[in-house]
């Protein structure tokens, strides 16, 4: 699982470095039936949730929500990187996660929106007031996990070796049958929750050659961030006083990890099923 957390690649090509009759057996195997994105438990609660965390933003073409099918969005709004729109980029954008065999960040019935962001022009002196006024709309009665005044960043850096093991446990719980994202936090310790929140808040979605990657970017200048313990939604804000704008990003990063983990498990299962012992 550790290798999974270092670099998440969603669009996968099944290739096994096997030898002898094992290689022949895999070649004869039927194509693996990967789970559809819509079937993921991380996505479904978001799509059907009426929770306190906001999951939609109004774009120029209409309202766009995390969890909706990509066929409902404008292709021109796709961007190749999220969490925050790069300086000089457009003021809005989204990324989509697709089933195996379909290029991520596409507009296709088998693709689901997993991240959206939009920037708003706000005068420097009004930024703190803007955050205070919009927070109830974004996260309801929840508290920001990351703020300019808390020490989560320093606490996590001092315990950096504990981040990945804590997130491994989170994924293991989510991947259990009939579990939801909520199970990720229910039995976690206070420190583990801090590590998980850090991992999600500093996750950055990027479109690579082989698919959608999710990496932790410690240099991402997050100002405020909150994680919904029920759906896995991440709401974050970046206050850019120099450019006079606030960027709002809503995303569901656990879904990327979950799809990769389930697909990997299916690959292993299929390989073992088709295995033919060598004749000695």
């Amino acid at each position: 699982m550790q290798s999974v957390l270092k670099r998440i690649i969603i669009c996968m090509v099944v290739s096994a470095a096997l030898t002898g009759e094992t290689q022949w057996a895999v070649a004869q195997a039927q194509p693996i039936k990967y789970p559809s994105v819509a079937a993921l438990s991380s996505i479904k609660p978001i799509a059907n949730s009426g929770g306190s965390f906001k999951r939609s933003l109004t774009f120029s073409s209409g309202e766009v929500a995390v969890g909706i099918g990509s066929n409902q969005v404008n292709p021109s709004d796709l961007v190749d990187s999220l969490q925050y729109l790069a300086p000089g980029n457009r003021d809005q954008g989204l990324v989509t996660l697709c089933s195996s065999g379909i290029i991520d960040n596409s507009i296709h019935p088998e693709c689901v929106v997993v991240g959206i962001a939009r920037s708003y022009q706000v005068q420097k002196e009004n930024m703190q007031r803007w955050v205070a006024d919009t927070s109830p709309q974004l996260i309801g009665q929840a508290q920001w996990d990351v703020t300019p005044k808390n020490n989560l960043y320093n606490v996590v850096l001092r315990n950096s070796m504990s981040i990945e093991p804590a997130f491994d446990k989170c994924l293991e719980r989510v991947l259990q049958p009939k579990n939801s994202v909520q199970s990720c936090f229910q039995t976690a310790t206070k420190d583990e929750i801090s590590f998980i929140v850090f991992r999600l808040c500093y996750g950055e979605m990027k479109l690579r050659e082989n698919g959608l990657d999710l990496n932790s970017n410690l240099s991402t200048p997050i100002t405020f961030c909150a994680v919904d313990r029920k759906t896995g939604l991440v709401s974050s804000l970046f206050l850019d006083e120099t450019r006079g704008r606030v960027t709002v990003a809503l995303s569901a990063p656990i879904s990327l990890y979950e799809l990769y983990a389930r697909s990997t498990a299916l690959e292993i299962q299929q390989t073992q099923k088709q295995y033919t012992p060598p004749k000695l």
Side-chain angles (χ1 to χ4, degrees):
M1 184 71 75
Q2 292 298 328
S3 61
V4 173
L5 297 177
K6 291 179 180 177
R7 192 169 188 269
I8 304 301
I9 301 176
I10 304 304
C11 282
M12 300 165 57
V13 177
V14 180
S15 59
L18 304 175
T19 60
E21 293 187 52
T22 305
Q23 196 171 37
W24 177 87
V26 173
Q28 300 300 314
Q30 295 296 320
I32 297 174
K33 294 182 179 179
Y34 292 94
S36 66
V37 175
L40 295 177
S41 61
S42 295
I43 286 287
K44 288 198 294 184
I46 294 173
N48 301 321
S49 174
S52 60
F53 270 53
K54 186 177 180 63
R55 64 183 182 90
S56 62
L57 294 175
T58 302
F59 277 39
S60 57
S61 58
E63 191 174 34
V64 177
V66 174
I68 67 172
S70 67
N71 57 330
Q72 303 178 48
V73 302
N74 191 333
S76 64
D77 288 329
L78 292 174
V79 292
D80 60 6
S81 181
L82 198 73
Q83 181 144 112
Y84 296 107
L85 301 174
N89 200 349
R90 293 168 297 172
D91 63 353
Q92 63 184 37
L94 56 90
V95 295
T96 67
L97 174 65
C98 306
S99 295
S100 180
I102 303 169
I103 299 176
D104 287 328
N105 222 26
S106 299
I107 302 299
H108 189 279
E110 288 295 320
C111 301
V112 175
V113 175
V114 290
I116 56 178
R118 182 172 180 184
S119 292
Y120 303 85
Q121 290 300 127
V122 181
Q123 293 179 333
K124 177 180 178 180
E125 55 270 24
N126 292 332
M127 284 188 174
Q128 294 300 326
R129 175 65 183 275
W130 194 92
V131 173
D133 290 342
T134 58
S135 292
Q137 301 175 46
L138 291 171
I139 61 175
Q141 299 300 315
Q143 299 294 315
W144 291 112
D145 292 304
V146 175
T147 71
K149 296 182 180 180
N150 73 9
N151 62 351
L152 176 62
Y153 190 89
N154 293 329
V155 170
V156 170
L157 287 184
R158 287 198 302 269
N159 299 276
S160 59
M161 297 300 292
S162 300
I163 298 176
E164 302 303 345
F167 202 75
D168 282 349
K169 292 181 181 179
C170 163
L171 288 182
E172 289 172 1
R173 290 192 286 271
V174 173
L175 288 171
Q176 294 300 313
K178 298 182 180 181
N179 269 359
S180 65
V181 174
Q182 195 169 6
S183 65
C184 170
F185 300 94
Q186 285 176 331
T187 58
T189 66
K190 183 178 179 180
D191 286 342
E192 286 176 335
I193 291 177
S194 296
F195 300 147
I196 294 167
V197 166
F198 183 88
R199 193 73 170 83
L200 296 176
C201 283
Y202 284 85
E204 184 176 27
M205 298 179 187
K206 287 187 177 182
L207 183 65
R208 302 293 190 185
E209 182 179 354
N210 294 322
L212 196 63
D213 284 0
L214 179 61
N215 297 312
S216 288
N217 185 355
L218 301 184
S219 63
T220 302
I222 295 173
T223 314
F224 294 90
C225 179
V227 178
D228 188 346
R229 309 309 198 250
K230 294 182 179 180
T231 65
L233 272 171
V234 178
S235 299
S236 49
L237 301 176
F238 167 49
L239 278 57
D240 187 344
E241 297 181 353
T242 302
R243 295 173 61 87
R245 69 179 188 176
V246 177
T247 300
V248 180
L250 309 176
S251 59
I254 285 185
S255 303
L256 277 69
Y257 286 107
E258 185 179 3
L259 179 59
Y260 181 89
R262 291 189 179 186
S263 297
T264 301
L266 281 173
E267 283 187 356
I268 295 173
Q269 183 181 41
Q270 188 80 355
T271 299
Q272 292 175 342
K273 181 179 179 181
Q274 298 296 330
Y275 176 72
T276 301
K279 295 180 179 180
L280 301 179

